[in-house]
């Protein structure tokens, strides 16, 4: 029996509010401040260091990032002072360190430029460049090739992800309502079509995101994608997560029928629950959580967050589009209290997991106001608070048995606000997390030190980054023979002392990453001219020490 207490004019006003929320959410996706070319992994050190003037032409350049990265073919290069590309062979990647070999015959004096484009562990491209000089700086540095993301791709990627969120909500919420809460005498045709449309949106979103990842990584146009680039995307964890999502959509399309008709056995219900959990996990596995601290906690929290959002928002769509318009008031009086409890539970999980995710992605309170991610997150929390206020009001109306017109208006207001939240979520997943943005800012603000030292046994190139008071000063050291070949080192030791302030030498061993390359950390407790000694043992009996001074201000 249809509900006659809903004037058409009020209905139109309510739907206009919900539609406005959807459009505003889409506008946030398109116009939001996230710029995909900004890194989600931060460049934390280079060898030679950024802006350094070294006395010996290096045979390779090393770039170290804050998380593991992978190469974009052809997008890592070293340009000599005359603009000639001089990197030799393929760069090597070991975790977060990219090593670029340089041709021995092409190392003139002057300023070199290193430009790079790699993919961080959370699937976002990291692009940039550094310069260093051999002997003395050139009058002008060589120019890197353009590495920006294509404007169409920059818009299409978050739009595709936004559609995926909308589709998931149209699958999870309506399926739960149809399986457990739907009145027997009410037609299921419209809701079933809604679920099918949601499945199609999730599938299209996953396929589009998978395709767009190739030009997103390379900086090419949306259709400028080769089979090799697609294979490279499919070989990553990001690609595997999206393929799994497509498989889940295909399986759900086959298995959902009985659940949508309200005739789902326990075995099928358990299988569909497992499919929902698996599908939800593909969102964090293809996003920030894949590279965040406490990865397992982050992935689980994000998956639960996505499921809670989809159940709550999808249920609201069912209320506004079907139940409040078509169900008899006596039926609604029994259904609404049950839905109200379910919605409250979903919101609790939404807030709890959202808090966990925020703590892990921000890393510190400073990131809340000092980064784009933190500011967007604060706006999202503010909009969500308004939506939850509307939800609380709707719950009171339902508990009091209020007429459907004010209740439906409130639900539509919730939907409009939730659409904005989804838009902000789609922008957030394209924005560098607060922890990464602060790390990048620290790197940009800090000063480094690089130098080449020579002994009778070896030539040592080293850099310290940053050079500041405290413990987190990373040292990279490279050993070469007199003719520029890599020299294996058996043992690396370094001491730091400040004789002018009475600070005695503190010794530390450097960890060998490669036979000729070691890394370590040095602590500068107070400002001053610190004396560094490097002792390298190249065999059982051969070792030599070189000394230098580093000013710490």
């Amino acid at each position: 029996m249809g509900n006659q207490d809903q004037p058409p004019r009020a209905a139109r006003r309510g739907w206009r509010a919900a539609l406005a929320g959807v459009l505003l959410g889409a506008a946030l996706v398109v116009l939001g401040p996230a710029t995909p070319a900004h890194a989600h992994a931060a460049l934390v050190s280079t060898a030679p260091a950024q802006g350094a003037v070294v006395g010996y032409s290096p045979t390779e350049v090393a770039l170290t990032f804050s998380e593991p990265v992978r190469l974009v073919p052809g997008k890592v290069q070293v340009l000599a002072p005359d603009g000639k590309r001089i990197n030799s062979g393929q760069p090597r990647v070991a975790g977060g360190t990219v090593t670029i070999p340089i041709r021995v015959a092409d190392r003139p004096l002057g300023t070199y430029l290193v430009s790079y484009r790699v993919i961080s562990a959370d699937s976002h491209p990291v692009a940039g460049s550094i310069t260093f000089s051999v002997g003395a700086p050139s009058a002008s540095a060589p120019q890197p090739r353009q590495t920006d993301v294509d404007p169409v791709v920059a818009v299409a990627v978050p739009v595709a992800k936004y559609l995926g969120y909308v589709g998931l909500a149209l699958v999870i919420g309506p399926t739960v309502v149809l399986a457990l809460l739907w009145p027997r005498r009410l037609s299921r045709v419209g809701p079933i079509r809604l679920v099918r449309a949601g499945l199609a949106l999730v599938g299209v979103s996953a396929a589009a995101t998978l395709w767009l990842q190739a030009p997103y990584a390379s900086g090419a146009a949306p259709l400028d994608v080769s089979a090799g680039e697609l294979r490279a995307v499919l070989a990553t964890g990001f690609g595997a997560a999206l393929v799994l999502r497509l498989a889940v959509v295909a399986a759900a399309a086959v298995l959902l029928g009985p659940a949508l008709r309200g005739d789902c056995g326990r075995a099928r219900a358990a299988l569909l629950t497992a499919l929902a959990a698996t599908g939800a996990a593909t969102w964090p596995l293809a996003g920030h959580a894949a590279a965040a601290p406490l990865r397992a906690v982050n992935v689980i929290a994000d998956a639960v967050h996505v499921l809670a959002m989809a159940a709550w928002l999808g249920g609201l769509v069912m209320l506004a589009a079907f139940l409040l318009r078509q169900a008899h008031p006596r039926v609604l009086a029994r259904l609404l209290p049950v839905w109200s409890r379910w919605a409250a539970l979903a919101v609790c999980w939404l807030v709890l997991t959202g808090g966990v995710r925020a703590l892990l992605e921000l890393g510190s309170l400073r990131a809340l106001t000092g980064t784009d991610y933190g500011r967007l997150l604060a706006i999202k929390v503010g909009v969500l608070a308004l939506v939850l206020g509307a939800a609380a009001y709707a719950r009171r109306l339902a508990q009091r048995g209020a007429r459907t017109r004010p209740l439906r208006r409130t639900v539509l207001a919730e939907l409009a606000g939730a659409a904005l939240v989804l838009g902000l979520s789609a922008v957030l997943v394209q924005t560098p997390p607060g922890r990464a943005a602060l790390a990048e800012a620290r790197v940009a603000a800090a000063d480094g030190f690089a130098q080449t030292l020579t002994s009778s046994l070896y030539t040592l190139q080293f850099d310290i980054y940053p050079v500041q008071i405290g413990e987190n000063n990373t040292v990279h050291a490279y050993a070469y023979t007199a003719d520029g070949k890599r020299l294996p080192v058996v043992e690396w030791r370094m001491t730091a002392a400040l004789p002018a302030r009475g600070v005695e030498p503190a010794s530390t061993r450097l960890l060998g990453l490669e036979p000729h390359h070691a890394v370590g950390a040095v602590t500068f407790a107070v400002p001053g001219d610190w004396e560094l000694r490097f002792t390298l043992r190249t065999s059982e009996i051969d070792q030599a020490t070189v000394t230098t001074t580093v000013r710490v201000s």
Side-chain angles (χ1 to χ4, degrees), residues 108-444:
L109 300 180
T111 298
Y112 289 69
L113 183 137
V114 183
S115 68
Y116 57 87
R117 188 180 187 85
V118 296
I119 306 301
S120 60
D122 61 2
S123 80
H124 295 277
V126 181
S129 62
I130 68 162
T131 59
F132 66 91
S133 301
V134 175
S138 304
S140 61
Q143 296 300 309
R145 295 186 301 176
Q146 186 71 20
T147 56
D148 288 340
V149 174
D150 180 87
V152 176
V153 174
V155 171
V157 170
V159 167
K161 293 183 177 182
Y162 180 72
L163 293 178
Y165 284 128
V166 172
L168 185 66
L170 296 181
V171 172
I172 299 296
T175 297
V176 172
V177 173
L178 284 170
L180 302 175
L181 204 61
W182 195 253
R184 292 182 180 180
R185 297 182 180 180
L186 210 59
S187 172
R188 295 173 179 263
V189 175
I192 289 176
R193 289 176 179 170
L194 193 67
V195 174
R196 299 296 183 191
L199 282 173
L201 273 179
V202 175
V204 169
S205 167
T209 303
L210 195 62
W211 174 274
L212 290 168
Q213 181 63 18
Y216 181 47
S218 66
L223 300 180
D224 187 11
V225 177
S226 67
E229 288 175 322
L230 284 177
R231 285 194 297 270
V233 172
L234 290 170
T236 65
F238 175 85
L242 289 174
V243 170
L244 178 59
R245 189 182 303 171
L246 287 170
V248 169
V249 168
V254 174
L255 297 172
L256 268 176
L260 299 181
R261 294 190 297 270
D263 184 24
C264 185
R266 290 184 179 180
R268 187 180 292 264
L271 181 57
L272 289 174
T273 301
L275 274 178
T278 302
T282 64
W283 264 267
L285 290 175
H288 289 157
L294 300 176
R295 184 173 184 265
V297 174
N298 225 328
V299 168
I300 293 172
D302 201 11
V304 174
H305 190 75
V306 167
L307 280 176
M309 174 278 299
W312 176 42
L313 183 54
L316 289 177
V317 171
M318 292 290 281
L319 281 180
F322 302 107
L323 290 174
L324 292 177
R325 296 178 61 191
Q326 301 173 6
H328 192 278
R330 287 196 299 271
V331 175
L332 286 176
R334 298 181 61 183
L335 296 183
L336 290 178
V338 178
W339 161 251
S340 181
R341 290 193 295 270
W342 289 3
L345 182 61
V347 166
C348 286
W349 279 108
L350 189 71
V351 173
L352 176 63
T353 54
V356 172
R357 293 278 293 118
L359 288 174
L360 293 174
E361 294 294 2
L362 288 173
S364 68
L365 287 176
R366 179 187 169 195
L368 186 61
T369 57
T371 65
D372 285 344
Y373 186 92
R375 289 186 285 269
L376 279 170
L377 182 63
I379 294 172
K380 177 183 174 181
V381 170
V383 175
L384 183 60
L386 294 176
V387 174
L388 294 181
Y393 179 63
R395 186 179 186 188
R396 285 197 297 270
L397 290 177
Q399 290 171 342
R400 294 172 184 172
R403 299 171 65 187
T404 56
R405 182 168 61 183
L407 181 57
R408 189 162 180 263
R409 285 178 176 174
T410 306
V411 170
L412 288 171
E414 283 186 72
L415 279 173
L420 290 176
V421 172
L422 282 186
L424 288 165
S425 298
V427 174
L428 276 171
V429 298
Q430 293 299 109
T431 305
R435 53 184 169 78
L438 284 186
E440 192 172 19
R442 285 193 296 267
V443 170

Side-chain angles (χ1 to χ4, degrees), residues 450-515:
Q451 198 172 46
T452 300
L453 303 173
T454 303
S455 74
S456 58
L457 290 179
Y458 55 80
T459 294
L460 176 70
Q461 292 181 356
F462 77 95
D463 69 85
I464 305 174
Y465 200 92
V467 177
Q468 60 186 15
I469 303 299
E471 301 177 354
N472 299 318
N473 299 282
T474 302
V475 180
H476 281 269
Y478 301 81
Y480 299 97
T481 62
D483 57 357
K485 296 180 179 179
R486 299 176 187 175
L487 178 65
V489 175
V490 177
E491 183 182 20
W492 308 73
R493 291 197 309 275
M494 178 184 67
T495 62
L498 186 58
R501 301 284 296 271
V503 179
E504 295 297 322
S507 180
T508 183
R509 287 195 177 188
L510 303 181
L511 174 65
L513 297 180
E514 300 175 275

Side-chain angles (χ1 to χ4, degrees), residues 43 45-47 61-65 76 96-100 114-116 130:
L43 181 67
S45 70
T46 66
V61 174
L63 308 173
T64 302
F65 297 89
V76 178
T97 299
V98 177
T99 303
I100 312 165
V114 183
S115 68
Y116 57 87
I130 68 162

